[in-house]
Amino acid sequence: MPTMVDVSDKIITKRTAHARSTIEFPPHVLKELLNVENSDGGIKGEEIVSKKGPVFATSIVAGTMAVKNTWNLIPFCHPIAIESCKINIKIMDSTNVQVDCIVSLHHKTGVEMEALTGASVASLCIYDMCKALSKDIIIKETKLISKTGGKSSQIHSDSSATTNKNI
């Protein structure tokens, strides 16, 4: 039978998780979005603007909301009080955008699902806000980069994962 994991006997520790999504745009889309001028005539810096508004700022809000509501979306996630959620979105090159979501708290359960959900929903929001320019935008991957706290810590590289057991 499906069931939520019993964490009642676990020890409260600081838990942190870092998830990353990568979004690929057709070359003309990012270029077009980057060339939008703001109201004072200057080019927007690390923000892109679509007809719906500031894409990255809106996506950070969406991702943060998703982190706080993961337990409502994933059936066996515990409702937890998030202490920190940082979402960073940056343009990597002429076609790729990277979304990083780092979540932490002191609790008996980890926050991997919250970080993965935050990165995923922020990416979906970017897609939604830019889809009028192209339906060929691809959310290429969402993956766990690292987790710390609890019984084990994991740090993932591009090609492999390592696990360190805490005693």
Side-chain angles (χ1 to χ4, degrees), residues 60-102:
I60 288 169
V61 172
T64 302
M65 290 173 63
V67 165
K68 297 186 329 182
N69 284 289
T70 299
W71 66 278
N72 280 317
L73 301 169
I74 309 296
F76 300 118
C77 283
H78 293 83
I80 54 179
I82 301 298
E83 294 174 1
S84 177
C85 174
K86 294 184 176 25
I87 297 176
N88 183 42
I89 303 172
K90 63 182 176 180
I91 298 168
M92 302 304 291
D93 55 38
S94 63
T95 60
N96 289 289
V97 170
Q98 181 175 291
V99 177
D100 285 289
C101 180
I102 301 171

Side-chain angles (χ1 to χ4, degrees), residues 14-80:
K14 182 169 184 177
R15 316 286 182 124
T16 302
H18 175 190
R20 175 175 294 154
S21 291
T22 305
I23 307 160
E24 183 177 24
F25 287 81
H28 73 280
V29 174
L30 270 182
K31 184 177 180 181
E32 185 173 333
L33 290 168
L34 284 169
N35 286 328
V36 173
E37 293 185 6
N38 62 23
S39 60
D40 65 4
I43 300 296
K44 302 241 181 237
E46 290 297 312
E47 176 63 274
I48 59 176
V49 179
S50 72
K51 290 181 179 181
K52 291 185 175 185
V55 175
F56 293 170
T58 305
S59 298
I60 288 169
V61 172
T64 302
M65 290 173 63
V67 165
K68 297 186 329 182
N69 284 289
T70 299
W71 66 278
N72 280 317
L73 301 169
I74 309 296
F76 300 118
C77 283
H78 293 83
I80 54 179

